[in-house]
Structures are given as C-alpha cells and as structure tokens.
C-alpha cells in the first residue's frame, strides 16, 4: 500500500504505536487550542535581525555534546563559525545527512547568504541549539525556554526562526 | 518550520512553514545549496504572507517523485537510539577536544557575555 501523495506522515499516531510496542503509556502531547498572541513584524524582514534556534542536537567541536535523556541544556553557536566545525547528535532521527551537510537541519549557510543579499537585515551574532525529545514539556517551559528568551533579548532579535527536526 | 505537520498543529505556533521531507531534513537536502536557499526564502516569506494566527504555509518542495519514504516513516521499524545520559559525540576527536579544553561554560554558558 502506498501513502497517498501529499498526505503528511501521521507522526503522533506512529509514535503512539512505538510507545505501545514498548509497553509505555501514551505520550501526552502539548495541545494548544488557540495560538499565542499575534505579533506582526515591526518592520520589513530586510531590516530585521533574525535569530535562529534549532533542536537537532547541533554543537561546535570542542563543546560538550548533548546526551539523549531529557537534556535541557543548550549551546551557543557563533553564526560566523565555519560549518565544518558543526556537529549533529540526536537519538531520534537519521543523522546521516545532517553529518554530511549540517545545513539540512541548521540552515546557517543559506541564512548567511540571505543576510549578505539583504533579504534579511542581519543574522544575530549567536544561534542557540538544544536536544529535542525532552520528555517533559514542563521542563522545557520552566528550565529551557526562559533561558533562551533571555539570550534572544540580549541578542536584540526582531524575528526568530525555529527549526525542529 | 516543521516536517511533522500534526505535531506542529497540536502545538499551534503563531506561524509555521511545512516542508514535507523525512525527519532530519527540515531545511533541505545535503549539498544542495540552491534548494536550501529556496526553502529558506519560502519559509521566511511566511513572516509577512501569513496573517492569520496559527496558520501553516505548505512549502512547494517534494522530496521524491513517488513519496515512498512516507511508507517507511509511517510503518518502518523503531530505529531510535537508546536514551544515553552521557554526552554522545559525533566522533572521538570531539570527545577528546571537549574533555581536554572545555569547562562548564561549554554547556550552558549563562555567565559568558554575549558579544554585541
């Protein structure tokens, strides 16, 4: 049987099956009935300083790598770093392509090009990365998110691109 | 951005750009800079083109002609790695470099000033 073209993969159902096969209770996904307050861009994107946060387990060689059990730490990635110095580690996705070219989960090269061309005003001096698959949404909200918010404010970010895997 | 539409619709962010690619490729295919840049341009366009909170822009990119990858993603084996609680380096050279030169600021450097 072939999945119908253009039908997205049903990941919530698939993960429920994986949990059930392991004898775990169903995961309680975060479900927000209403989106957060709307904030339009304050100026054209070509004048905005763009921030970047990615959850694919990206670190710089020399930094401590992420671990796979509810790692709520984050890494600070200078956005002028050569992409050859970036690494990827994660328990839940196939790392083959991310390790061949990190831009598949951490789009630093294209964003640098778009900043140079003036499509975005600038890329913030630092990007922030963490390890996804943190079981407790509460810990993300209470431990990780406030620290990232603080860092983004310090970077004076005006628009933010979030790249999960 | 997202490649898992159902999870993103549950979380309900203000804006999203959906790339219908296998997980691990939210922003493109390896060594295809033109595709990677085109995906970024389309995704960033959502900052201004989306005006309804909670809406999702489907980006106009297809992974392959036949979408066979979706069968594997939907029904394939559980190939997640164990939940190790020690740092999982990409290679041993990284481990040595981190263990010899890295202090606590390499993890979550709260006291490390952000250069302006």
């Amino acid at each position: 049987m072939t999945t119908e073209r253009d039908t997205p993969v049903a990941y919530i159902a698939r993960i429920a099956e994986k949990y059930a096969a392991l004898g775990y209770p169903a995961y309680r996904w975060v479900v927000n009935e209403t989106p957060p307050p709307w904030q339009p861009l304050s100026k054209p994107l070509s004048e905005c300083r763009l921030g970047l946060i990615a959850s694919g387990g990206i670190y710089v060689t020399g930094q401590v790598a992420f671990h796979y059990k509810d790692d709520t730490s984050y890494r600070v990635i200078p956005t002028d770093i050569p992409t050859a110095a970036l690494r990827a580690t994660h328990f839940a996705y196939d790392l083959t392509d991310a390790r061949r070219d990190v831009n598949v989960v951490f789009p630093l090269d294209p964003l640098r090009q778009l900043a140079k061309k003036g499509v975005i005003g600038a890329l913030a001096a630092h990007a922030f990365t963490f390890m996804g698959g943190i079981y407790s949404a509460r810990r993300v909200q209470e431990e990780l998110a406030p620290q990232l918010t603080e860092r983004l404010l310090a970077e004076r970010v005006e628009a933010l691109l979030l790249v999960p895997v | 951005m997202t490649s898992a539409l159902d999870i993103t619709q549950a979380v309900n962010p203000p804006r999203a750009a959906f790339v219908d690619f296998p997980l691990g490729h939210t922003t493109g295919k390896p060594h295809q800079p033109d595709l990677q840049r085109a995906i970024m341009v389309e995704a960033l366009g959502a900052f201004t083109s989306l005006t309804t909170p909670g809406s999702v822009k489907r980006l106009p990119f297809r992974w392959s002609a036949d979408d066979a990858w979706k069968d594997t993603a939907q029904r394939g084996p559980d190939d997640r790695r164990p939940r190790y609680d020690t740092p999982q380096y990409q290679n041993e050279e990284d481990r040595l470099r981190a263990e010899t030169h890295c202090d606590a600021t390499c993890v979550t450097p709260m006291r490390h000033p952000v250069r302006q």
Side-chain angles (χ1 to χ4, degrees), chain A residues 52-55 57-60 63-66 71-77 126-131 134 143-152 154-155, chain B residues 104-112 114:
Chain A
L52 172 64
I53 291 186
S55 72
I58 308 303
Y59 67 96
V60 181
Q63 291 180 334
V64 173
F66 293 96
D71 189 340
T72 55
S73 67
Y74 68 93
R75 302 292 177 273
V76 178
I77 315 282
H126 302 89
F128 304 100
T129 57
F130 59 98
M131 174 77 207
I134 300 158
E143 297 173 25
L144 179 57
Q147 295 183 61
L148 293 175
T149 305
E150 192 178 308
R151 301 297 302 228
L152 293 167
E155 297 269 336
Chain B
T105 61
C106 293
V107 180
T108 299
M110 287 304 289
R111 288 176 200 85
H112 186 78
V114 174

Side-chain angles (χ1 to χ4, degrees), chain A:
Chain A
M1 196 178 91
T2 304
T3 306
E4 194 184 333
R5 215 174 156 91
D6 294 330
T7 302
V9 175
Y11 284 106
I12 290 179
R14 180 67 190 119
I15 292 165
E17 288 171 2
K18 290 181 181 179
Y19 272 53
L22 293 167
Y24 297 161
Y27 184 69
R28 287 172 54 201
W29 292 92
V30 171
V31 178
N32 295 307
E33 296 298 335
T34 52
W38 183 251
Q39 178 62 56
L41 286 188
S42 56
K43 49 188 172 179
L45 195 62
S46 59
E47 297 171 22
C48 286
R49 188 194 320 274
L50 183 75
L52 172 64
I53 291 186
S55 72
I58 308 303
Y59 67 96
V60 181
T61 181
Q63 291 180 334
V64 173
F66 293 96
H67 64 75
Y68 294 171
K69 191 173 173 57
D70 298 315
D71 189 340
T72 55
S73 67
Y74 68 93
R75 302 292 177 273
V76 178
I77 315 282
T79 52
D80 60 357
I81 199 160
T83 42
L86 296 172
R87 304 285 186 267
T89 188
H90 205 284
F91 73 96
Y93 73 94
D94 184 344
L95 292 162
T96 311
D97 285 345
R99 289 180 172 180
R100 287 168 65 196
D101 178 4
V102 78
N103 290 295
V104 304
V105 288
F106 189 65
L108 201 47
D109 285 335
L111 287 176
R112 287 194 281 229
Q113 291 162 9
L114 294 178
K116 208 170 186 176
K117 285 174 63 180
V119 175
I120 56 175
L123 192 54
H126 302 89
F128 304 100
T129 57
F130 59 98
M131 174 77 207
I134 300 158
Y135 191 83
S136 166
R138 181 189 59 77
R139 288 189 62 193
V140 175
Q141 280 183 331
E142 293 178 4
E143 297 173 25
L144 179 57
Q147 295 183 61
L148 293 175
T149 305
E150 192 178 308
R151 301 297 302 228
L152 293 167
L153 291 172
E155 297 269 336
R156 292 176 293 134
V157 160
E158 293 154 313
L160 175 65
L161 185 69
L162 296 163
V163 183
V165 286

Side-chain angles (χ1 to χ4, degrees), chain B residues 30-53:
Chain B
H31 303 304
Q32 295 195 21
D34 292 347
L35 171 68
Q36 293 168 4
R37 194 165 50 246
I39 288 173
M40 267 309 101
V41 168
E42 288 286 340
L44 295 172
F47 273 117
T48 42
S49 69
L50 296 184
T51 53
T52 306

Side-chain angles (χ1 to χ4, degrees), chain B residues 12-34:
Chain B
N12 209 353
R15 309 168 178 80
F18 173 52
V19 180
D20 199 6
F21 281 7
L23 298 187
H25 307 86
T26 317
T27 50
K29 297 184 178 188
H31 303 304
Q32 295 195 21
D34 292 347

Side-chain angles (χ1 to χ4, degrees), chain B residues 52-69:
Chain B
T52 306
S55 51
V56 178
K57 176 179 180 178
R58 280 185 176 234
L59 303 197
F61 304 99
R62 187 178 292 281
W63 178 259
S64 58
D66 66 359
D67 274 359
W69 68 269

